Amino acid sequence: MLTFFSEGSRQRQARSELHDGALVTPFECPERIDLVLNALHKAAFEVRTPSDYGLAPVLAVHDSSYVAFLESCWQAWQAAGHEGEAIPNIWPARTLRGDKIPKAVSGQLGYYALAAETSITEGTFAAAMASKDTALGAVEHTLATGEPTFGLCRPPGHHAAYDQFGGYCFFNNAAIAAQRALDAGKRRVAVLDVDFHHGNGTQQIFYSRDDVLFLSLHGDPNVTFPYYSGYADETGEGRGAGFNVNYPLPPGTSVAAWMTALEKALERIHQAECELIVVSLGVDIFEGDPISAFTFQHSDFIALGKRLAEAGLPCVFLMEGGYAVEDIGVNVVNVLQGFKQVRG
């Protein structure tokens, strides 16, 4: 299975994350990529550099003012004389106005952020551009050949909404890839999100559309980030009614119960007559992940890959979460190897 990866992803070198009331070294770090690359090379996967696809695919799913903010934020933050990395500290919450975008970069941060854990740093925009190129390289290859591909995206993307960043995500790589497949002639695409955390951004982007079926298996938002998205009664609206499917699962969910939910998701994908699956591949469902609460073992990722292959559709895997750093490479490669065992 061909892998795409852009070295530009390393340009984001964040030092700060707000976690449990303290500023800590971010869980989402460049070392994750090196561990996955090492495992891919050891397993003899070919890794290819994607082309530069520019901003047009980003603007197909994201607000232009939001994109401009991301591009200029770090420079504006420095010009304002702020020390440290750009971290939001106020939002247009329920008792404040949400129809004004302040001129001050501190106010813009809160307007465009959905959470406070993710800082904007030098190189953030460049890394996000490289990450979406990785996703586009993967989907373009699958569209051209029908072969499965893996995009080693970093930063991840599934929390990025139409005009908001957070959860380590800036551009929604899965949404960008799905839109590209539609633009290339696919009638309907499935985005299957298996990350431990709900893909709120992907859901929001496609919530009123019926050409993308979004399905997410994730930790119950009553007790799990992002808390305010991912409930089972969120099923789409307008033309998108019935094309958004959430499977919230409690902490400690067994692999067997998780796989039962996956069966339901795959059945829905076939009912909707989807022509391609974009898998938001978060391997933070691993039992040892530091910010998750599911129970997958190394071997269970092989079984996951096999089951996705048995679905029989063209498949694009895009990297999302996974923070048990010493295990992330093994778990990613096990999914891909499991897929190859069935589909070659």
Side-chain angles (χ1 to χ4, degrees), residues 231-268:
Y231 294 89
D233 64 354
E234 297 162 15
T235 58
E237 63 185 11
R239 291 184 60 182
F243 288 89
N244 193 92
V245 189
N246 288 320
Y247 302 91
L249 301 166
T253 291
S254 69
V255 173
W258 193 96
M259 285 295 205
T260 297
L262 177 64
E263 290 300 323
K264 295 177 182 178
L266 293 175
E267 180 180 358
R268 180 71 184 94

CSV table of all heavy atoms in Angstrom, one decimal, residues 231-268:
chain,number,residue,atom,x,y,z
A,231,TYR,N,-23.2,13.1,19.9
A,231,TYR,CA,-24.3,12.3,20.5
A,231,TYR,C,-25.1,11.6,19.4
A,231,TYR,O,-25.1,11.9,18.2
A,231,TYR,CB,-25.2,13.2,21.2
A,231,TYR,CG,-24.5,13.8,22.5
A,231,TYR,CD1,-23.8,15.0,22.4
A,231,TYR,CD2,-24.6,13.2,23.7
A,231,TYR,CE1,-23.2,15.6,23.5
A,231,TYR,CE2,-24.0,13.7,24.8
A,231,TYR,CZ,-23.2,14.9,24.7
A,231,TYR,OH,-22.6,15.4,25.8
A,232,ALA,N,-25.8,10.5,19.8
A,232,ALA,CA,-26.4,9.6,18.8
A,232,ALA,C,-27.6,10.3,18.1
A,232,ALA,O,-28.0,9.9,17.0
A,232,ALA,CB,-26.9,8.4,19.5
A,233,ASP,N,-28.2,11.4,18.7
A,233,ASP,CA,-29.3,12.0,18.1
A,233,ASP,C,-28.9,13.1,17.0
A,233,ASP,O,-29.7,13.8,16.5
A,233,ASP,CB,-30.2,12.7,19.1
A,233,ASP,CG,-29.5,13.8,19.9
A,233,ASP,OD1,-28.3,14.0,19.8
A,233,ASP,OD2,-30.2,14.4,20.7
A,234,GLU,N,-27.6,13.2,16.8
A,234,GLU,CA,-27.1,14.1,15.7
A,234,GLU,C,-27.0,13.3,14.4
A,234,GLU,O,-26.1,12.6,14.1
A,234,GLU,CB,-25.7,14.6,16.1
A,234,GLU,CG,-25.7,15.4,17.4
A,234,GLU,CD,-24.3,15.6,18.0
A,234,GLU,OE1,-23.3,15.3,17.4
A,234,GLU,OE2,-24.3,16.0,19.2
A,235,THR,N,-28.1,13.5,13.6
A,235,THR,CA,-28.2,12.6,12.4
A,235,THR,C,-28.3,13.3,11.1
A,235,THR,O,-28.6,12.8,10.1
A,235,THR,CB,-29.5,11.8,12.6
A,235,THR,OG1,-30.7,12.7,12.7
A,235,THR,CG2,-29.5,10.9,13.8
A,236,GLY,N,-27.9,14.6,11.1
A,236,GLY,CA,-27.9,15.4,9.9
A,236,GLY,C,-29.2,16.3,9.9
A,236,GLY,O,-30.2,16.1,10.6
A,237,GLU,N,-29.2,17.3,8.9
A,237,GLU,CA,-30.3,18.1,8.8
A,237,GLU,C,-30.5,18.5,7.3
A,237,GLU,O,-29.6,18.4,6.5
A,237,GLU,CB,-30.2,19.4,9.6
A,237,GLU,CG,-29.0,20.3,9.1
A,237,GLU,CD,-28.8,21.5,10.0
A,237,GLU,OE1,-29.4,21.5,11.1
A,237,GLU,OE2,-28.0,22.4,9.7
A,238,GLY,N,-31.7,18.9,6.9
A,238,GLY,CA,-32.0,19.2,5.6
A,238,GLY,C,-31.8,18.0,4.7
A,238,GLY,O,-32.1,16.9,5.0
A,239,ARG,N,-31.1,18.2,3.6
A,239,ARG,CA,-30.7,17.1,2.7
A,239,ARG,C,-29.8,16.1,3.3
A,239,ARG,O,-29.8,14.9,2.9
A,239,ARG,CB,-30.0,17.7,1.4
A,239,ARG,CG,-30.9,18.5,0.5
A,239,ARG,CD,-30.1,18.9,-0.7
A,239,ARG,NE,-29.6,17.8,-1.5
A,239,ARG,CZ,-28.9,17.9,-2.6
A,239,ARG,NH1,-28.6,19.0,-3.1
A,239,ARG,NH2,-28.5,16.8,-3.2
A,240,GLY,N,-29.1,16.5,4.4
A,240,GLY,CA,-28.2,15.6,5.1
A,240,GLY,C,-28.9,14.8,6.2
A,240,GLY,O,-28.2,14.0,6.8
A,241,ALA,N,-30.2,14.9,6.3
A,241,ALA,CA,-30.9,14.1,7.4
A,241,ALA,C,-30.7,12.6,7.1
A,241,ALA,O,-30.9,12.1,6.0
A,241,ALA,CB,-32.4,14.4,7.4
A,242,GLY,N,-30.1,11.9,8.1
A,242,GLY,CA,-29.9,10.5,8.0
A,242,GLY,C,-28.5,10.2,7.5
A,242,GLY,O,-28.1,9.0,7.4
A,243,PHE,N,-27.7,11.2,7.1
A,243,PHE,CA,-26.4,11.0,6.6
A,243,PHE,C,-25.3,11.3,7.5
A,243,PHE,O,-24.1,11.5,7.2
A,243,PHE,CB,-26.2,11.7,5.2
A,243,PHE,CG,-27.0,11.1,4.1
A,243,PHE,CD1,-28.3,11.5,3.9
A,243,PHE,CD2,-26.4,10.1,3.3
A,243,PHE,CE1,-29.0,10.9,2.8
A,243,PHE,CE2,-27.1,9.5,2.3
A,243,PHE,CZ,-28.4,9.9,2.1
A,244,ASN,N,-25.6,11.4,8.8
A,244,ASN,CA,-24.7,11.6,9.9
A,244,ASN,C,-25.0,10.6,10.9
A,244,ASN,O,-26.1,10.5,11.5
A,244,ASN,CB,-24.8,13.0,10.5
A,244,ASN,CG,-23.6,13.3,11.4
A,244,ASN,OD1,-22.6,13.9,10.9
A,244,ASN,ND2,-23.7,13.0,12.6
A,245,VAL,N,-24.0,9.7,11.2
A,245,VAL,CA,-24.3,8.6,12.2
A,245,VAL,C,-23.2,8.5,13.2
A,245,VAL,O,-22.0,8.3,12.9
A,245,VAL,CB,-24.4,7.2,11.4
A,245,VAL,CG1,-24.9,6.1,12.3
A,245,VAL,CG2,-25.3,7.3,10.2
A,246,ASN,N,-23.6,8.7,14.5
A,246,ASN,CA,-22.7,8.6,15.6
A,246,ASN,C,-22.9,7.4,16.4
A,246,ASN,O,-24.0,7.0,16.7
A,246,ASN,CB,-22.8,9.9,16.5
A,246,ASN,CG,-22.2,11.1,15.8
A,246,ASN,OD1,-21.2,11.1,15.2
A,246,ASN,ND2,-22.9,12.2,16.0
A,247,TYR,N,-21.8,6.8,16.8
A,247,TYR,CA,-21.8,5.6,17.7
A,247,TYR,C,-21.0,5.9,19.0
A,247,TYR,O,-19.9,5.5,19.1
A,247,TYR,CB,-21.2,4.4,17.0
A,247,TYR,CG,-21.9,4.0,15.7
A,247,TYR,CD1,-21.5,4.5,14.5
A,247,TYR,CD2,-23.0,3.2,15.7
A,247,TYR,CE1,-22.1,4.2,13.3
A,247,TYR,CE2,-23.6,2.8,14.5
A,247,TYR,CZ,-23.2,3.3,13.3
A,247,TYR,OH,-23.8,3.0,12.1
A,248,PRO,N,-21.6,6.7,19.9
A,248,PRO,CA,-20.9,7.0,21.1
A,248,PRO,C,-20.8,5.8,22.0
A,248,PRO,O,-21.8,5.1,22.3
A,248,PRO,CB,-21.7,8.1,21.8
A,248,PRO,CG,-23.1,7.9,21.2
A,248,PRO,CD,-22.9,7.4,19.8
A,249,LEU,N,-19.6,5.5,22.6
A,249,LEU,CA,-19.3,4.3,23.3
A,249,LEU,C,-18.7,4.7,24.7
A,249,LEU,O,-17.9,5.6,24.8
A,249,LEU,CB,-18.4,3.4,22.6
A,249,LEU,CG,-18.9,2.9,21.2
A,249,LEU,CD1,-17.8,2.3,20.4
A,249,LEU,CD2,-20.1,2.0,21.4
A,250,PRO,N,-19.1,4.0,25.8
A,250,PRO,CA,-18.6,4.4,27.1
A,250,PRO,C,-17.1,4.0,27.3
A,250,PRO,O,-16.5,3.2,26.6
A,250,PRO,CB,-19.4,3.5,28.0
A,250,PRO,CG,-19.9,2.4,27.2
A,250,PRO,CD,-20.0,2.9,25.8
A,251,PRO,N,-16.4,4.7,28.2
A,251,PRO,CA,-15.0,4.3,28.5
A,251,PRO,C,-14.9,2.8,28.9
A,251,PRO,O,-15.8,2.3,29.5
A,251,PRO,CB,-14.7,5.2,29.8
A,251,PRO,CG,-15.6,6.3,29.7
A,251,PRO,CD,-16.9,5.8,29.0
A,252,GLY,N,-13.8,2.2,28.4
A,252,GLY,CA,-13.6,0.8,28.7
A,252,GLY,C,-14.4,-0.1,27.8
A,252,GLY,O,-14.4,-1.3,28.0
A,253,THR,N,-15.0,0.4,26.7
A,253,THR,CA,-15.7,-0.4,25.8
A,253,THR,C,-14.8,-1.5,25.3
A,253,THR,O,-13.7,-1.3,24.9
A,253,THR,CB,-16.2,0.4,24.6
A,253,THR,OG1,-17.2,1.3,25.0
A,253,THR,CG2,-16.8,-0.4,23.4
A,254,SER,N,-15.3,-2.8,25.2
A,254,SER,CA,-14.6,-3.9,24.8
A,254,SER,C,-14.4,-3.8,23.3
A,254,SER,O,-15.1,-3.2,22.5
A,254,SER,CB,-15.3,-5.2,25.1
A,254,SER,OG,-16.5,-5.3,24.4
A,255,VAL,N,-13.4,-4.5,22.8
A,255,VAL,CA,-13.1,-4.6,21.3
A,255,VAL,C,-14.3,-5.2,20.6
A,255,VAL,O,-14.7,-4.8,19.6
A,255,VAL,CB,-11.8,-5.4,21.0
A,255,VAL,CG1,-11.7,-5.6,19.5
A,255,VAL,CG2,-10.6,-4.7,21.6
A,256,ALA,N,-14.9,-6.3,21.2
A,256,ALA,CA,-16.1,-6.9,20.6
A,256,ALA,C,-17.2,-6.0,20.5
A,256,ALA,O,-17.9,-5.9,19.4
A,256,ALA,CB,-16.5,-8.1,21.5
A,257,ALA,N,-17.5,-5.1,21.5
A,257,ALA,CA,-18.6,-4.2,21.4
A,257,ALA,C,-18.3,-3.1,20.3
A,257,ALA,O,-19.1,-2.7,19.6
A,257,ALA,CB,-18.9,-3.5,22.7
A,258,TRP,N,-17.0,-2.7,20.3
A,258,TRP,CA,-16.6,-1.7,19.3
A,258,TRP,C,-16.8,-2.3,17.9
A,258,TRP,O,-17.3,-1.6,17.0
A,258,TRP,CB,-15.1,-1.3,19.5
A,258,TRP,CG,-14.7,-0.1,18.8
A,258,TRP,CD1,-14.6,1.2,19.3
A,258,TRP,CD2,-14.2,-0.1,17.4
A,258,TRP,NE1,-14.1,2.0,18.3
A,258,TRP,CE2,-13.8,1.3,17.2
A,258,TRP,CE3,-14.0,-1.0,16.5
A,258,TRP,CZ2,-13.3,1.7,15.9
A,258,TRP,CZ3,-13.5,-0.6,15.2
A,258,TRP,CH2,-13.2,0.7,15.0
A,259,MET,N,-16.4,-3.5,17.7
A,259,MET,CA,-16.5,-4.1,16.4
A,259,MET,C,-18.0,-4.3,16.0
A,259,MET,O,-18.3,-4.2,14.8
A,259,MET,CB,-15.8,-5.5,16.4
A,259,MET,CG,-14.3,-5.4,16.3
A,259,MET,SD,-13.7,-4.6,14.8
A,259,MET,CE,-12.1,-5.2,14.6
A,260,THR,N,-18.9,-4.5,16.9
A,260,THR,CA,-20.3,-4.6,16.6
A,260,THR,C,-20.8,-3.2,16.1
A,260,THR,O,-21.5,-3.2,15.1
A,260,THR,CB,-21.1,-4.9,17.9
A,260,THR,OG1,-20.7,-6.3,18.3
A,260,THR,CG2,-22.6,-4.9,17.6
A,261,ALA,N,-20.3,-2.2,16.7
A,261,ALA,CA,-20.7,-0.8,16.1
A,261,ALA,C,-20.1,-0.6,14.7
A,261,ALA,O,-20.7,-0.1,13.9
A,261,ALA,CB,-20.2,0.3,17.1
A,262,LEU,N,-18.9,-1.1,14.5
A,262,LEU,CA,-18.3,-1.0,13.2
A,262,LEU,C,-19.1,-1.8,12.1
A,262,LEU,O,-19.3,-1.3,11.0
A,262,LEU,CB,-16.8,-1.6,13.2
A,262,LEU,CG,-16.1,-1.6,11.8
A,262,LEU,CD1,-15.9,-0.2,11.3
A,262,LEU,CD2,-14.8,-2.3,11.9
A,263,GLU,N,-19.6,-2.9,12.5
A,263,GLU,CA,-20.5,-3.7,11.6
A,263,GLU,C,-21.7,-2.8,11.2
A,263,GLU,O,-22.1,-2.8,10.0
A,263,GLU,CB,-20.9,-5.0,12.2
A,263,GLU,CG,-19.8,-6.0,12.4
A,263,GLU,CD,-19.2,-6.4,11.0
A,263,GLU,OE1,-19.9,-6.5,10.0
A,263,GLU,OE2,-18.0,-6.6,11.0
A,264,LYS,N,-22.3,-2.2,12.1
A,264,LYS,CA,-23.4,-1.3,11.8
A,264,LYS,C,-23.0,-0.2,10.9
A,264,LYS,O,-23.8,0.2,10.0
A,264,LYS,CB,-24.0,-0.8,13.1
A,264,LYS,CG,-24.6,-1.8,14.0
A,264,LYS,CD,-25.1,-1.2,15.3
A,264,LYS,CE,-25.7,-2.2,16.3
A,264,LYS,NZ,-26.1,-1.7,17.6
A,265,ALA,N,-21.9,0.4,11.1
A,265,ALA,CA,-21.4,1.5,10.3
A,265,ALA,C,-21.2,1.0,8.8
A,265,ALA,O,-21.6,1.7,7.9
A,265,ALA,CB,-20.1,2.1,10.9
A,266,LEU,N,-20.5,-0.1,8.7
A,266,LEU,CA,-20.3,-0.7,7.3
A,266,LEU,C,-21.6,-1.0,6.6
A,266,LEU,O,-21.7,-0.8,5.4
A,266,LEU,CB,-19.3,-1.9,7.4
A,266,LEU,CG,-17.9,-1.6,7.9
A,266,LEU,CD1,-17.1,-2.9,8.1
A,266,LEU,CD2,-17.2,-0.6,7.0
A,267,GLU,N,-22.5,-1.5,7.4
A,267,GLU,CA,-23.8,-1.8,6.8
A,267,GLU,C,-24.5,-0.6,6.2
A,267,GLU,O,-25.0,-0.5,5.1
A,267,GLU,CB,-24.7,-2.5,7.8
A,267,GLU,CG,-26.1,-2.9,7.2
A,267,GLU,CD,-27.0,-3.5,8.3
A,267,GLU,OE1,-26.5,-3.8,9.4
A,267,GLU,OE2,-28.2,-3.8,7.9
A,268,ARG,N,-24.4,0.5,7.0
A,268,ARG,CA,-24.9,1.8,6.6
A,268,ARG,C,-24.2,2.3,5.4
A,268,ARG,O,-24.8,2.9,4.5
A,268,ARG,CB,-24.9,2.8,7.7
A,268,ARG,CG,-25.4,4.2,7.4
A,268,ARG,CD,-27.0,4.1,7.3
A,268,ARG,NE,-27.5,5.4,6.9
A,268,ARG,CZ,-27.8,5.8,5.6
A,268,ARG,NH1,-27.5,4.9,4.6
A,268,ARG,NH2,-28.3,7.0,5.3
